[in-house]
Amino acid sequence: MFNTKSSIRENNSILVLSEIINRPEVSRAMISELIGLNKATVSAIVKQLIEDKYVIEIGPGESTSTGGRRPILLTLNKKAGISISFDVRHDRISCLITYLDGEKIEHTIEEKNMNKDNTVESIASIVEDTRDSMGHCPFGIIGITISIHGIVDHNKIEFTPYFDLDQIDLVGELETRLDLPVHIENEANLTALAEAAFDNEHCSLVSFSAHTGVGAGIILDGKLHRGHKGRSGEVGHTVLYPNGISCPCGNQGCLEQYCSTTAIVRRFRELKHNDQLTFQDLVASYHLKDSDTLNMILQFAKDFGIGLMNVIGNFDPEVVYINSEVLDEIPELISFLQNYLSMTIYKNVLIRQSRLGKKASLYGATVVNLQSYLHVDNVEFSLNMEKVLAG
Ligand SMILES: [Zn+2]
């Protein structure tokens, strides 16, 4: 197998480590109280976690109400390992390298056409450079997780509508070359995992992403909902207009042909009879209150609202996080959408703009690396939010 192996196996160790990871600082006595294990057992587990480099002591905390010695506080040894995340789109590859608490070491974006011939090399060379330059680190690189803009089932790419990545064994080729665990997951699913890691209030949420394509990631009762073949949340290919615009999925009138950034730019170019216009031109035209552009955005918002309602109707989330360049540039559309819902039976569902931007799926990929290596169910970035979102 791989040269990266976690020594965490035993259930009680996982429980103790989860408490240490997901609290700012915690003592052995507090852990004992929180998970109902006796103090001697907790102390023995913590001793092993410290020896194995997962945990460090950070000095004494406040005295307890009964007085006595001040307890020694514990925290995750965040610099013991490095997580590497990639997001691969047909026109761009981005990478996020972090410590074990999600704090960024490096974030890079390269605009280039990605395909079956260059993706393995592009990813492997970044990982090899990181390995060569990272210096001593007890766990080394804990794993690689790659966000795929397409359908992923059991760590295998089933369908990538805008490029040919589904024609290679991406995981197999990378694991052979790098001798590291490699995970792949659908971009929208990873975005949902990221939103959940930054949200400690809600257990059921939908992340609705509209960029090149449109997709939703679904977390129900704290767990990612993939569906039978990894196609849950493929809302981009639900039909909004029968006999509408043709879609690479083989259908017509799919939601993503109306609500993706690509679609709205295409419509703007048609409207203005100019193939050279960009997304920024569209935003400028909106802010100049060009009436054609305003009407186009209003129609976009209505289509978006229908797509959103269909997802909410299917999954009944507490909150929907929207990640869309159009809504980032025109944030008043969030209140339009919230009003739209307020007239329906879904009026209690919160609509929020994602704060994670283009790094959303990369944060989700970091969650997958951490969950897989540390064997913990939940990773909370909300504790550490400013640091994780910085840069
Ligand atoms: Zn489609």
Side-chain angles (χ1 to χ4, degrees):
M1 259 323 251
F2 310 110
N3 63 13
T4 295
K5 269 193 200 143
S6 162
S7 58
I8 296 281
R9 286 287 178 270
E10 198 249 323
N11 275 346
N12 285 341
S13 303
I14 293 169
L15 286 175
V16 171
L17 186 60
S18 293
E19 293 300 331
I20 296 172
I21 290 174
N22 292 325
R23 293 179 188 275
E25 44 198 33
V26 66
S27 68
R28 291 165 178 82
M30 286 159 72
I31 296 171
S32 163
E33 229 169 87
L34 286 162
I35 61 177
L37 273 182
N38 70 55
K39 283 183 191 169
T41 308
V42 170
S43 290
I45 291 171
V46 168
K47 183 167 178 283
Q48 192 61 50
L49 289 172
I50 291 174
E51 275 173 25
D52 292 344
K53 312 271 193 245
Y54 288 98
V55 168
I56 49 175
E57 292 184 327
I58 49 171
E62 298 296 317
S63 296
T64 58
S65 52
T66 52
R69 254 184 347 160
R70 291 161 69 198
I72 302 294
L73 298 177
L74 305 162
T75 193
L76 175 69
N77 182 14
K78 65 168 195 168
K79 293 197 173 170
I82 286 175
S83 156
I84 308 187
S85 303
F86 290 92
D87 182 87
V88 181
R89 281 182 14 172
H90 73 100
D91 57 352
R92 185 173 78 199
I93 177 166
S94 42
C95 172
L96 178 69
I97 306 175
T98 72
Y99 293 117
L100 298 183
D101 65 345
E103 186 184 334
K104 184 190 79 170
I105 301 171
E106 197 176 352
H107 173 225
T108 54
I109 300 174
E110 193 181 352
E111 307 284 345
K112 67 176 179 184
N113 286 326
M114 301 302 297
N115 54 56
K116 64 181 172 52
D117 300 320
N118 66 3
T119 299
V120 169
E121 179 57 35
S122 299
I123 290 173
S125 60
I126 292 175
V127 175
E128 284 160 351
D129 287 350
T130 305
R131 192 149 52 184
D132 291 345
S133 64
M134 67 191 217
H136 175 71
C137 175
F139 307 154
I141 296 169
I142 61 162
I144 315 293
T145 296
I146 306 161
S147 155
I148 302 292
H149 293 246
I151 297 173
V152 174
D153 184 29
H154 292 94
N155 230 21
K156 190 171 176 302
I157 302 175
E158 295 291 337
F159 176 58
T160 44
Y162 297 98
F163 57 152
D164 57 7
L165 216 55
D166 48 1
Q167 292 175 29
I168 56 168
D169 175 14
L170 183 62
V171 171
E173 288 187 36
L174 283 169
E175 284 187 341
T176 304
R177 175 154 163 187
L178 296 169
D179 193 26
L180 287 169
V182 177
H183 316 276
I184 56 172
E185 183 56 89
N186 166 267
E187 177 258 351
N189 285 349
L190 290 176
T191 301
L193 283 176
E195 298 293 358
F198 282 98
D199 178 340
N200 56 10
E201 292 171 63
H202 306 102
C203 294
S204 293
L205 63 85
V206 164
S207 160
F208 193 93
S209 311
H211 301 287
T212 317
V214 172
I218 293 126
I219 306 279
L220 296 178
D221 299 324
K223 297 258 179 267
L224 179 64
H225 177 70
R226 288 191 179 80
H228 174 53
K229 286 279 182 191
R231 288 174 297 209
S232 177
E234 275 298 319
V235 291
H237 301 287
T238 54
V239 175
L240 199 60
Y241 297 106
N243 306 315
I245 300 169
S246 294
C247 181
C249 77
N251 219 331
Q252 282 180 286
C254 293
L255 180 67
E256 82 176 27
Q257 299 308 322
Y258 299 86
C259 292
S260 62
T261 308
T262 312
I264 193 81
V265 170
R266 184 181 59 220
R267 206 159 347 139
F268 181 62
R269 287 173 177 169
E270 285 164 8
L271 193 68
K272 298 295 176 191
H273 307 289
N274 182 346
D275 277 354
Q276 305 301 312
L277 292 172
T278 64
F279 176 61
Q280 287 314 319
D281 294 326
L282 184 164
V283 173
S285 179
Y286 174 84
H287 288 304
L288 287 171
K289 298 192 169 29
D290 172 75
S291 62
D292 291 341
T293 310
L294 291 179
N295 284 334
M296 183 188 78
I297 291 293
L298 180 63
Q299 187 57 48
F300 165 88
K302 287 178 178 169
D303 290 343
F304 208 103
I306 294 169
L308 210 52
M309 255 197 320
N310 289 342
V311 182
I312 293 171
N314 280 319
F315 298 103
D316 191 21
E318 298 166 85
V319 55
V320 180
Y321 285 95
I322 298 179
N323 198 319
S324 150
E325 287 110 338
V326 181
L327 274 81
D328 287 344
E329 294 292 339
I330 311 176
E332 55 268 36
L333 293 180
I334 292 284
S335 39
F336 175 92
L337 292 168
Q338 189 78 69
N339 282 338
Y340 195 73
L341 285 186
S342 72
M343 294 179 280
T344 72
I345 55 166
Y346 308 123
K347 55 178 172 282
N348 296 326
V349 179
L350 298 169
I351 303 294
R352 290 193 178 161
Q353 192 166 7
S354 170
R355 283 172 297 179
L356 309 183
K358 288 182 180 154
K359 279 196 274 184
S361 61
L362 292 170
Y363 290 126
T366 307
V367 170
V368 171
N369 283 333
L370 296 174
Q371 283 177 332
S372 164
Y373 189 80
L374 299 173
H375 298 276
V376 292
D377 284 341
N378 289 313
V379 175
E380 294 263 359
F381 287 152
S382 45
L383 285 173
N384 203 15
M385 182 172 307
E386 300 315 320
K387 237 158 117 188
V388 177
L389 290 177

